[in-house]
Each structure stands twice: as C-alpha cells, then as structure tokens.
Amino acid sequence: MERRAERHPDLLPGAAVVDGLRPSARSRARAAAGQALAQVTGRALGPYQSAVVRIGFSATWLFFLLREFPHRHELYGPDGPWSWGMAERLIASNRAFTVLMWSDATWWFELVYGVSVLASVLLMLGWRTRATSVLFMIGVLSLQNRSVFMGDGGDNVIHLMAMYLVLTRCARVWSLDARRARLRGSASAGAAGPVLWSVLGLLFAYGAVTGRFGAGWLAAFAAVWVVLGLWWLVDRFEPEGEGRAVLDVLANLLHNAGMLVIMAEVCLIYATAGWYKIQGSRWQDGTALYYPLGLDYFTPWPGLSGVLAGSGTLVMLLTYGTVAVQVAFPFTLFNRRIKNVLLAVMMLEHAGIAVLLGLPFFSLAMIAADAVFLPTVFLVWLGARAGAARRRDRAASEPPPGPLDAPTPIPAEVAR
C-alpha cells in the first residue's frame, strides 16, 4: 500500500478529487482554459480574413449601387412599384429600420443613396472604419428595407454581414487605418474622426428627438456613438493606460464573437441550402440544373447554356456535386486540407453561377462570405505578392536617374 501510494500520491487518504478531476488533469484543464481566454481577449483573431470580408462585401454593394444608379428611383425611390404608402404600412408592422422613410422628398433619397455609395468606397479602403462601417450598415438597411421585394439571396447575405462588420476590427490590415497607425502611431490620428463622430451624433440626435428610431435601434446607435467617442478620447489621451487595455479586450471579444457569428452564418446558409435541395425531386434525379439553363432570365450566354444543358451527364454531375459540397462543407471545418479543397470548389461554383446564370452580385456576396474560411498563409502570401507588384509598378513609373542624379564619386584619399 505504501509503495502504491508513493507511485500514486493522488491515492493518499488526504488527497482530494475536486469536480471529478485529479490535480494533474485539473491543472492541465485550467492551463488550457487560460490559454484559450488569452487568445480570445488578447488579440483580434483572423485579421486578414476580416479584411477580405470587409473589402468583398463593401465592393459588392458598391458595384451594385453603381450599376443600378440609372434605375435607382425605380428600385428604391419615389418611382418604384413599392410605393411610399405601402412601404410605410409594412415598416409600421415589422419595425424594420430605414432612414428613407424619414422623408419622401427626392433630395433626401438622393442624399441617402449618395452617402451609401460613399460609405461603401470608404469601407472598402478602410478609412475610419469604425464610423464608416456604421454608415455602411445604415445605407444597406435603409435601401433594402425600403423595397423588400427587390432583393435576392445575395442581398440577404449583405444585409446580415453589414451588421456583423460593425462588431469586427476589420481594418487591422490592408486598410488606410492600418497605414495611418504605422505612420502616425494611431489609427485615430487627425481631425476627421471627431468631425465624422459629430455628424453621426447629429443624425442620431435628430432621429431620437423626432421619434424616428425604435427603442432597440435607438439604444444600439446610442451605445455605438458613445463607444466611438470613448475610444477616441482614450486613444488620444491615454494610449498606453489601463483604459486602453480594457477597451482592447472588449473590442477583441466583440471582434472574435462577430467572426464566429459570420462563420456560423456561412455554415448555416450552406447546410440549409443543401438539406433543402435533398428534399427536392429535381435535385434527387439530377436534373435541377437543366431547367434554369432554359430560362431567358438566367441565360446571359445562350450558346454556353445550350452546350451545358445538352449534356445530361454533365448536368447530373453538377447537380449532385452542388448538393454534396453544400451538405459536406460544415462537417469539414476540422480538417484543414479537405476544407480548403471544398472552399475552392464552392468559390468556383459561385463564379460559374455568375457567368452561366447571370447572378454576379449574388456570387460576389457568397464568395466574400466564403473568404472568412481562407487560410491565413494564403492571404499573407497574396498580400506579399500584391505589395511586391505595387512596388515594381512604382519603380517602373519613376524616371531613370539622369546625370545630375548620379552619385558623386568619393575621392580615393577621402575613402582611405
């Protein structure tokens, strides 16, 4: 018994087993929990992935707004089939948020549309991202909720991601904010931040005083506005203090939670789409892809669509392959190699949808959502290649040194 106790001190009469774990296992579990907590609170995970998601969704919405600029009045404005009165009755029942319902004046619609375009450009470039992400969300929600029947699946994804991006620190890399932080020591440097914050404050104050906001949206915008102002004050006057450390921890928690929600949303989209397809008879017999290829609305290239629809084997393989990839993808996240292969297949699939079915913005939105799962090594390599190409272009655009620019030779006696 004594020898056994020497070999296993946990079995001594005085040794307690707490919560079913022996001391060694308990210490390992505590260390693992501490490391996980440090990872979640100590840094914003996935900075490159969040940057790609930011650029992808802002660029998709920007391209859509620019393409539909000649038709903006019919889509979301005063000339649309979804009239002002119909939109007013619907929003009164579903409490959706849109600043377009603040006024039916044409100048107000033009202002909101123009600010939406500007916010998309600024968010894509990563300029004052904390504030421009809020403006981007306001623009997306305002336009889409004004005419709810004008969108498709891609618009729904943009709608959700516009809200999630507000929670993330998506300008840590590949942004003007990151460049300003490198050059000036802080992403909040300069007077543009307080000016933008004041403009947002006036907008929120007007909405609150006139009763344009519901209670939930008023609380959300007020919290965002206060946090933005507090962040600027702490970053300006106490950049290395405890206040900044606390804000960094909270910002990292929100960012990591937002990234987790984005990943869960993408998995839910694919799982739901895949399992619903399984229940359809046309997907079960492998002919589902054939029918949209025969519709004029979904055939921007009739010749290409005809060639594809003429091959029953190819239609069957693409139909079954689509279902298999969508159903399997959420289950492959814990196997990096299989996940990367399926991720590339899904992106190619969306590129094919853009070309064959004429749905470019839906495809761009889904590719931007898929980018949250891109491997960091690939994104770092891609950024390095883009930086090297930019440096080569800059060097090629500079004129070669002339005689006056040639270095002055150093005399031999001075060199010695």
Side-chain angles (χ1 to χ4, degrees), residues 171-212:
R172 306 288 285 180
V173 297
W174 299 345
S175 68
L176 295 179
D177 286 349
R179 181 177 181 272
R180 189 184 311 110
R182 289 194 305 269
L183 298 178
R184 305 179 66 176
S186 172
S188 303
V195 172
L196 190 56
W197 181 78
S198 302
V199 172
L200 286 174
L202 292 175
L203 177 65
F204 299 154
Y206 173 78
V209 171
T210 57
R212 306 290 184 177

mmCIF file of all heavy atoms in Angstrom, residues 171-212:
data_model
loop_
_atom_site.group_PDB
_atom_site.id
_atom_site.type_symbol
_atom_site.label_atom_id
_atom_site.label_comp_id
_atom_site.label_asym_id
_atom_site.label_seq_id
_atom_site.Cartn_x
_atom_site.Cartn_y
_atom_site.Cartn_z
ATOM 1 N N ALA A 171 -10.155 46.387 -39.930
ATOM 2 C CA ALA A 171 -9.180 47.251 -40.603
ATOM 3 C C ALA A 171 -7.783 47.106 -40.007
ATOM 4 O O ALA A 171 -6.960 48.010 -40.139
ATOM 5 C CB ALA A 171 -9.630 48.711 -40.528
ATOM 6 N N ARG A 172 -7.501 45.979 -39.391
ATOM 7 C CA ARG A 172 -6.166 45.778 -38.800
ATOM 8 C C ARG A 172 -5.100 45.653 -39.875
ATOM 9 O O ARG A 172 -3.939 45.988 -39.631
ATOM 10 C CB ARG A 172 -6.177 44.520 -37.937
ATOM 11 C CG ARG A 172 -7.259 44.478 -36.876
ATOM 12 C CD ARG A 172 -6.993 45.421 -35.745
ATOM 13 N NE ARG A 172 -5.949 44.923 -34.866
ATOM 14 C CZ ARG A 172 -5.515 45.553 -33.777
ATOM 15 N NH1 ARG A 172 -6.024 46.740 -33.469
ATOM 16 N NH2 ARG A 172 -4.583 45.043 -33.022
ATOM 17 N N VAL A 173 -5.463 45.166 -41.030
ATOM 18 C CA VAL A 173 -4.525 45.050 -42.158
ATOM 19 C C VAL A 173 -5.239 45.520 -43.410
ATOM 20 O O VAL A 173 -6.477 45.597 -43.454
ATOM 21 C CB VAL A 173 -4.016 43.604 -42.332
ATOM 22 C CG1 VAL A 173 -3.217 43.152 -41.115
ATOM 23 C CG2 VAL A 173 -5.184 42.644 -42.574
ATOM 24 N N TRP A 174 -4.464 45.835 -44.440
ATOM 25 C CA TRP A 174 -4.984 46.176 -45.763
ATOM 26 C C TRP A 174 -6.017 47.298 -45.693
ATOM 27 O O TRP A 174 -7.121 47.194 -46.216
ATOM 28 C CB TRP A 174 -5.590 44.949 -46.448
ATOM 29 C CG TRP A 174 -4.613 43.846 -46.672
ATOM 30 C CD1 TRP A 174 -3.253 43.933 -46.606
ATOM 31 C CD2 TRP A 174 -4.911 42.488 -47.010
ATOM 32 N NE1 TRP A 174 -2.692 42.717 -46.881
ATOM 33 C CE2 TRP A 174 -3.667 41.817 -47.115
ATOM 34 C CE3 TRP A 174 -6.088 41.784 -47.209
ATOM 35 C CZ2 TRP A 174 -3.593 40.461 -47.430
ATOM 36 C CZ3 TRP A 174 -6.001 40.445 -47.511
ATOM 37 C CH2 TRP A 174 -4.775 39.783 -47.630
ATOM 38 N N SER A 175 -5.663 48.376 -45.037
ATOM 39 C CA SER A 175 -6.592 49.491 -44.891
ATOM 40 C C SER A 175 -5.811 50.786 -44.709
ATOM 41 O O SER A 175 -4.626 50.786 -44.337
ATOM 42 C CB SER A 175 -7.511 49.277 -43.684
ATOM 43 O OG SER A 175 -6.778 49.346 -42.478
ATOM 44 N N LEU A 176 -6.490 51.898 -44.959
ATOM 45 C CA LEU A 176 -5.891 53.204 -44.692
ATOM 46 C C LEU A 176 -5.723 53.441 -43.200
ATOM 47 O O LEU A 176 -4.809 54.164 -42.786
ATOM 48 C CB LEU A 176 -6.767 54.302 -45.303
ATOM 49 C CG LEU A 176 -6.878 54.294 -46.833
ATOM 50 C CD1 LEU A 176 -7.799 55.411 -47.295
ATOM 51 C CD2 LEU A 176 -5.504 54.439 -47.484
ATOM 52 N N ASP A 177 -6.573 52.847 -42.388
ATOM 53 C CA ASP A 177 -6.410 52.965 -40.936
ATOM 54 C C ASP A 177 -5.118 52.306 -40.479
ATOM 55 O O ASP A 177 -4.395 52.840 -39.629
ATOM 56 C CB ASP A 177 -7.599 52.329 -40.221
ATOM 57 C CG ASP A 177 -8.853 53.178 -40.320
ATOM 58 O OD1 ASP A 177 -8.745 54.338 -40.759
ATOM 59 O OD2 ASP A 177 -9.935 52.689 -39.959
ATOM 60 N N ALA A 178 -4.823 51.127 -41.019
ATOM 61 C CA ALA A 178 -3.573 50.452 -40.653
ATOM 62 C C ALA A 178 -2.371 51.253 -41.127
ATOM 63 O O ALA A 178 -1.348 51.352 -40.421
ATOM 64 C CB ALA A 178 -3.552 49.050 -41.262
ATOM 65 N N ARG A 179 -2.468 51.855 -42.296
ATOM 66 C CA ARG A 179 -1.376 52.695 -42.796
ATOM 67 C C ARG A 179 -1.187 53.922 -41.905
ATOM 68 O O ARG A 179 -0.049 54.293 -41.575
ATOM 69 C CB ARG A 179 -1.676 53.118 -44.230
ATOM 70 C CG ARG A 179 -0.600 53.989 -44.875
ATOM 71 C CD ARG A 179 -0.969 54.298 -46.309
ATOM 72 N NE ARG A 179 0.034 55.113 -46.960
ATOM 73 C CZ ARG A 179 0.052 56.451 -46.924
ATOM 74 N NH1 ARG A 179 -0.905 57.105 -46.254
ATOM 75 N NH2 ARG A 179 1.005 57.121 -47.539
ATOM 76 N N ARG A 180 -2.290 54.550 -41.484
ATOM 77 C CA ARG A 180 -2.182 55.706 -40.603
ATOM 78 C C ARG A 180 -1.580 55.314 -39.251
ATOM 79 O O ARG A 180 -0.801 56.066 -38.664
ATOM 80 C CB ARG A 180 -3.564 56.334 -40.390
ATOM 81 C CG ARG A 180 -3.527 57.672 -39.665
ATOM 82 C CD ARG A 180 -4.911 58.222 -39.390
ATOM 83 N NE ARG A 180 -5.740 58.187 -40.557
ATOM 84 C CZ ARG A 180 -6.774 57.375 -40.714
ATOM 85 N NH1 ARG A 180 -7.097 56.522 -39.747
ATOM 86 N NH2 ARG A 180 -7.487 57.390 -41.814
ATOM 87 N N ALA A 181 -1.941 54.135 -38.758
ATOM 88 C CA ALA A 181 -1.386 53.680 -37.485
ATOM 89 C C ALA A 181 0.118 53.463 -37.592
ATOM 90 O O ALA A 181 0.867 53.751 -36.641
ATOM 91 C CB ALA A 181 -2.081 52.395 -37.044
ATOM 92 N N ARG A 182 0.591 52.957 -38.744
ATOM 93 C CA ARG A 182 2.033 52.771 -38.917
ATOM 94 C C ARG A 182 2.774 54.100 -39.022
ATOM 95 O O ARG A 182 3.869 54.252 -38.467
ATOM 96 C CB ARG A 182 2.305 51.941 -40.175
ATOM 97 C CG ARG A 182 1.921 50.488 -40.075
ATOM 98 C CD ARG A 182 2.542 49.692 -41.215
ATOM 99 N NE ARG A 182 2.211 50.248 -42.514
ATOM 100 C CZ ARG A 182 1.165 49.904 -43.245
ATOM 101 N NH1 ARG A 182 0.323 48.999 -42.782
ATOM 102 N NH2 ARG A 182 0.948 50.444 -44.438
ATOM 103 N N LEU A 183 2.194 55.059 -39.731
ATOM 104 C CA LEU A 183 2.884 56.318 -39.985
ATOM 105 C C LEU A 183 2.770 57.307 -38.828
ATOM 106 O O LEU A 183 3.715 58.049 -38.544
ATOM 107 C CB LEU A 183 2.345 56.968 -41.265
ATOM 108 C CG LEU A 183 2.535 56.171 -42.562
ATOM 109 C CD1 LEU A 183 1.922 56.913 -43.739
ATOM 110 C CD2 LEU A 183 4.019 55.915 -42.810
ATOM 111 N N ARG A 184 1.600 57.321 -38.160
ATOM 112 C CA ARG A 184 1.348 58.343 -37.156
ATOM 113 C C ARG A 184 1.148 57.793 -35.761
ATOM 114 O O ARG A 184 0.870 58.540 -34.830
ATOM 115 C CB ARG A 184 0.125 59.168 -37.577
ATOM 116 C CG ARG A 184 0.268 59.753 -38.975
ATOM 117 C CD ARG A 184 -0.946 60.539 -39.401
ATOM 118 N NE ARG A 184 -1.156 61.732 -38.605
ATOM 119 C CZ ARG A 184 -2.109 62.633 -38.838
ATOM 120 N NH1 ARG A 184 -2.930 62.461 -39.861
ATOM 121 N NH2 ARG A 184 -2.242 63.681 -38.064
ATOM 122 N N GLY A 185 1.276 56.478 -35.623
ATOM 123 C CA GLY A 185 1.203 55.879 -34.295
ATOM 124 C C GLY A 185 -0.191 55.555 -33.817
ATOM 125 O O GLY A 185 -0.350 54.901 -32.788
ATOM 126 N N SER A 186 -1.237 55.996 -34.515
ATOM 127 C CA SER A 186 -2.598 55.736 -34.090
ATOM 128 C C SER A 186 -3.524 55.830 -35.290
ATOM 129 O O SER A 186 -3.398 56.747 -36.108
ATOM 130 C CB SER A 186 -3.047 56.726 -33.009
ATOM 131 O OG SER A 186 -4.420 56.588 -32.729
ATOM 132 N N ALA A 187 -4.470 54.894 -35.355
ATOM 133 C CA ALA A 187 -5.459 54.935 -36.428
ATOM 134 C C ALA A 187 -6.462 56.059 -36.226
ATOM 135 O O ALA A 187 -7.165 56.444 -37.160
ATOM 136 C CB ALA A 187 -6.191 53.598 -36.509
ATOM 137 N N SER A 188 -6.538 56.619 -35.011
ATOM 138 C CA SER A 188 -7.487 57.696 -34.713
ATOM 139 C C SER A 188 -6.891 59.078 -34.901
ATOM 140 O O SER A 188 -7.564 60.068 -34.597
ATOM 141 C CB SER A 188 -7.996 57.554 -33.270
ATOM 142 O OG SER A 188 -8.585 56.298 -33.060
ATOM 143 N N ALA A 189 -5.651 59.159 -35.362
ATOM 144 C CA ALA A 189 -4.992 60.460 -35.501
ATOM 145 C C ALA A 189 -5.702 61.307 -36.545
ATOM 146 O O ALA A 189 -6.294 60.800 -37.499
ATOM 147 C CB ALA A 189 -3.522 60.264 -35.889
ATOM 148 N N GLY A 190 -5.637 62.618 -36.356
ATOM 149 C CA GLY A 190 -6.247 63.540 -37.302
ATOM 150 C C GLY A 190 -7.591 64.045 -36.829
ATOM 151 O O GLY A 190 -8.177 63.552 -35.854
ATOM 152 N N ALA A 191 -8.086 65.065 -37.523
ATOM 153 C CA ALA A 191 -9.345 65.706 -37.133
ATOM 154 C C ALA A 191 -10.563 65.092 -37.796
ATOM 155 O O ALA A 191 -11.693 65.434 -37.430
ATOM 156 C CB ALA A 191 -9.278 67.199 -37.479
ATOM 157 N N ALA A 192 -10.379 64.197 -38.764
ATOM 158 C CA ALA A 192 -11.525 63.632 -39.470
ATOM 159 C C ALA A 192 -12.390 62.776 -38.554
ATOM 160 O O ALA A 192 -13.622 62.752 -38.703
ATOM 161 C CB ALA A 192 -11.048 62.801 -40.665
ATOM 162 N N GLY A 193 -11.771 62.106 -37.598
ATOM 163 C CA GLY A 193 -12.530 61.256 -36.685
ATOM 164 C C GLY A 193 -13.557 62.030 -35.871
ATOM 165 O O GLY A 193 -14.747 61.679 -35.865
ATOM 166 N N PRO A 194 -13.155 63.092 -35.152
ATOM 167 C CA PRO A 194 -14.147 63.877 -34.393
ATOM 168 C C PRO A 194 -15.225 64.502 -35.268
ATOM 169 O O PRO A 194 -16.394 64.586 -34.859
ATOM 170 C CB PRO A 194 -13.285 64.942 -33.706
ATOM 171 C CG PRO A 194 -11.936 64.344 -33.616
ATOM 172 C CD PRO A 194 -11.788 63.497 -34.834
ATOM 173 N N VAL A 195 -14.862 64.936 -36.472
ATOM 174 C CA VAL A 195 -15.862 65.529 -37.364
ATOM 175 C C VAL A 195 -16.909 64.484 -37.761
ATOM 176 O O VAL A 195 -18.125 64.735 -37.718
ATOM 177 C CB VAL A 195 -15.177 66.119 -38.606
ATOM 178 C CG1 VAL A 195 -16.219 66.554 -39.632
ATOM 179 C CG2 VAL A 195 -14.297 67.301 -38.214
ATOM 180 N N LEU A 196 -16.444 63.302 -38.135
ATOM 181 C CA LEU A 196 -17.372 62.239 -38.519
ATOM 182 C C LEU A 196 -18.225 61.813 -37.331
ATOM 183 O O LEU A 196 -19.431 61.552 -37.476
ATOM 184 C CB LEU A 196 -16.577 61.047 -39.059
ATOM 185 C CG LEU A 196 -17.359 59.928 -39.741
ATOM 186 C CD1 LEU A 196 -18.203 60.472 -40.879
ATOM 187 C CD2 LEU A 196 -16.404 58.861 -40.253
ATOM 188 N N TRP A 197 -17.632 61.756 -36.165
ATOM 189 C CA TRP A 197 -18.372 61.404 -34.955
ATOM 190 C C TRP A 197 -19.457 62.440 -34.661
ATOM 191 O O TRP A 197 -20.580 62.093 -34.264
ATOM 192 C CB TRP A 197 -17.391 61.297 -33.794
ATOM 193 C CG TRP A 197 -18.012 60.925 -32.483
ATOM 194 C CD1 TRP A 197 -18.405 59.679 -32.086
ATOM 195 C CD2 TRP A 197 -18.293 61.805 -31.400
ATOM 196 N NE1 TRP A 197 -18.921 59.728 -30.814
ATOM 197 C CE2 TRP A 197 -18.855 61.026 -30.360
ATOM 198 C CE3 TRP A 197 -18.102 63.161 -31.184
ATOM 199 C CZ2 TRP A 197 -19.237 61.565 -29.141
ATOM 200 C CZ3 TRP A 197 -18.486 63.713 -29.970
ATOM 201 C CH2 TRP A 197 -19.051 62.923 -28.960
ATOM 202 N N SER A 198 -19.156 63.710 -34.855
ATOM 203 C CA SER A 198 -20.145 64.764 -34.627
ATOM 204 C C SER A 198 -21.305 64.669 -35.619
ATOM 205 O O SER A 198 -22.474 64.848 -35.251
ATOM 206 C CB SER A 198 -19.476 66.139 -34.723
ATOM 207 O OG SER A 198 -18.421 66.261 -33.786
ATOM 208 N N VAL A 199 -20.992 64.371 -36.881
ATOM 209 C CA VAL A 199 -22.042 64.231 -37.883
ATOM 210 C C VAL A 199 -22.965 63.063 -37.534
ATOM 211 O O VAL A 199 -24.204 63.171 -37.610
ATOM 212 C CB VAL A 199 -21.424 64.041 -39.277
ATOM 213 C CG1 VAL A 199 -22.492 63.689 -40.304
ATOM 214 C CG2 VAL A 199 -20.678 65.301 -39.699
ATOM 215 N N LEU A 200 -22.380 61.946 -37.123
ATOM 216 C CA LEU A 200 -23.193 60.811 -36.705
ATOM 217 C C LEU A 200 -24.042 61.162 -35.490
ATOM 218 O O LEU A 200 -25.207 60.761 -35.381
ATOM 219 C CB LEU A 200 -22.300 59.602 -36.392
ATOM 220 C CG LEU A 200 -21.676 58.873 -37.581
ATOM 221 C CD1 LEU A 200 -20.717 57.795 -37.094
ATOM 222 C CD2 LEU A 200 -22.743 58.261 -38.458
ATOM 223 N N GLY A 201 -23.474 61.927 -34.567
ATOM 224 C CA GLY A 201 -24.225 62.335 -33.383
ATOM 225 C C GLY A 201 -25.422 63.201 -33.731
ATOM 226 O O GLY A 201 -26.512 63.026 -33.165
ATOM 227 N N LEU A 202 -25.248 64.118 -34.668
ATOM 228 C CA LEU A 202 -26.374 64.952 -35.093
ATOM 229 C C LEU A 202 -27.463 64.109 -35.754
ATOM 230 O O LEU A 202 -28.664 64.331 -35.532
ATOM 231 C CB LEU A 202 -25.882 66.033 -36.059
ATOM 232 C CG LEU A 202 -24.979 67.118 -35.460
ATOM 233 C CD1 LEU A 202 -24.475 68.054 -36.555
ATOM 234 C CD2 LEU A 202 -25.740 67.914 -34.392
ATOM 235 N N LEU A 203 -27.044 63.138 -36.571
ATOM 236 C CA LEU A 203 -28.019 62.264 -37.222
ATOM 237 C C LEU A 203 -28.798 61.456 -36.194
ATOM 238 O O LEU A 203 -30.041 61.375 -36.262
ATOM 239 C CB LEU A 203 -27.289 61.332 -38.194
ATOM 240 C CG LEU A 203 -28.146 60.292 -38.920
ATOM 241 C CD1 LEU A 203 -29.134 60.967 -39.851
ATOM 242 C CD2 LEU A 203 -27.253 59.324 -39.690
ATOM 243 N N PHE A 204 -28.093 60.874 -35.222
ATOM 244 C CA PHE A 204 -28.774 60.079 -34.205
ATOM 245 C C PHE A 204 -29.659 60.954 -33.320
ATOM 246 O O PHE A 204 -30.751 60.537 -32.919
ATOM 247 C CB PHE A 204 -27.754 59.332 -33.353
ATOM 248 C CG PHE A 204 -26.908 58.360 -34.145
ATOM 249 C CD1 PHE A 204 -25.641 58.017 -33.710
ATOM 250 C CD2 PHE A 204 -27.374 57.801 -35.315
ATOM 251 C CE1 PHE A 204 -24.860 57.139 -34.433
ATOM 252 C CE2 PHE A 204 -26.610 56.926 -36.053
ATOM 253 C CZ PHE A 204 -25.350 56.589 -35.613
ATOM 254 N N ALA A 205 -29.190 62.155 -33.000
ATOM 255 C CA ALA A 205 -29.991 63.053 -32.168
ATOM 256 C C ALA A 205 -31.288 63.443 -32.874
ATOM 257 O O ALA A 205 -32.363 63.471 -32.260
ATOM 258 C CB ALA A 205 -29.175 64.297 -31.815
ATOM 259 N N TYR A 206 -31.205 63.726 -34.169
ATOM 260 C CA TYR A 206 -32.413 64.071 -34.914
ATOM 261 C C TYR A 206 -33.390 62.898 -34.931
ATOM 262 O O TYR A 206 -34.603 63.073 -34.725
ATOM 263 C CB TYR A 206 -32.049 64.464 -36.345
ATOM 264 C CG TYR A 206 -33.252 64.676 -37.231
ATOM 265 C CD1 TYR A 206 -33.992 65.850 -37.147
ATOM 266 C CD2 TYR A 206 -33.653 63.691 -38.136
ATOM 267 C CE1 TYR A 206 -35.110 66.035 -37.951
ATOM 268 C CE2 TYR A 206 -34.766 63.872 -38.942
ATOM 269 C CZ TYR A 206 -35.490 65.047 -38.844
ATOM 270 O OH TYR A 206 -36.593 65.231 -39.631
ATOM 271 N N GLY A 207 -32.877 61.692 -35.169
ATOM 272 C CA GLY A 207 -33.749 60.529 -35.169
ATOM 273 C C GLY A 207 -34.384 60.265 -33.821
ATOM 274 O O GLY A 207 -35.542 59.841 -33.737
ATOM 275 N N ALA A 208 -33.627 60.526 -32.732
ATOM 276 C CA ALA A 208 -34.166 60.302 -31.396
ATOM 277 C C ALA A 208 -35.227 61.336 -31.040
ATOM 278 O O ALA A 208 -36.286 61.004 -30.492
ATOM 279 C CB ALA A 208 -33.041 60.331 -30.374
ATOM 280 N N VAL A 209 -34.963 62.612 -31.349
ATOM 281 C CA VAL A 209 -35.896 63.678 -30.981
ATOM 282 C C VAL A 209 -37.199 63.559 -31.754
ATOM 283 O O VAL A 209 -38.294 63.789 -31.218
ATOM 284 C CB VAL A 209 -35.233 65.056 -31.219
ATOM 285 C CG1 VAL A 209 -36.248 66.180 -31.064
ATOM 286 C CG2 VAL A 209 -34.079 65.263 -30.247
ATOM 287 N N THR A 210 -37.116 63.205 -33.017
ATOM 288 C CA THR A 210 -38.317 63.113 -33.850
ATOM 289 C C THR A 210 -39.018 61.766 -33.754
ATOM 290 O O THR A 210 -40.041 61.549 -34.417
ATOM 291 C CB THR A 210 -37.946 63.381 -35.319
ATOM 292 O OG1 THR A 210 -36.937 62.439 -35.734
ATOM 293 C CG2 THR A 210 -37.420 64.800 -35.488
ATOM 294 N N GLY A 211 -38.483 60.854 -32.953
ATOM 295 C CA GLY A 211 -39.111 59.552 -32.787
ATOM 296 C C GLY A 211 -38.968 58.637 -33.976
ATOM 297 O O GLY A 211 -39.781 57.730 -34.178
ATOM 298 N N ARG A 212 -37.916 58.843 -34.794
ATOM 299 C CA ARG A 212 -37.724 58.013 -35.986
ATOM 300 C C ARG A 212 -37.170 56.634 -35.648
ATOM 301 O O ARG A 212 -37.320 55.694 -36.426
ATOM 302 C CB ARG A 212 -36.772 58.709 -36.960
ATOM 303 C CG ARG A 212 -37.167 60.123 -37.335
ATOM 304 C CD ARG A 212 -38.397 60.143 -38.206
ATOM 305 N NE ARG A 212 -38.731 61.484 -38.663
ATOM 306 C CZ ARG A 212 -39.738 61.757 -39.481
ATOM 307 N NH1 ARG A 212 -40.493 60.783 -39.929
ATOM 308 N NH2 ARG A 212 -39.999 62.995 -39.849
#
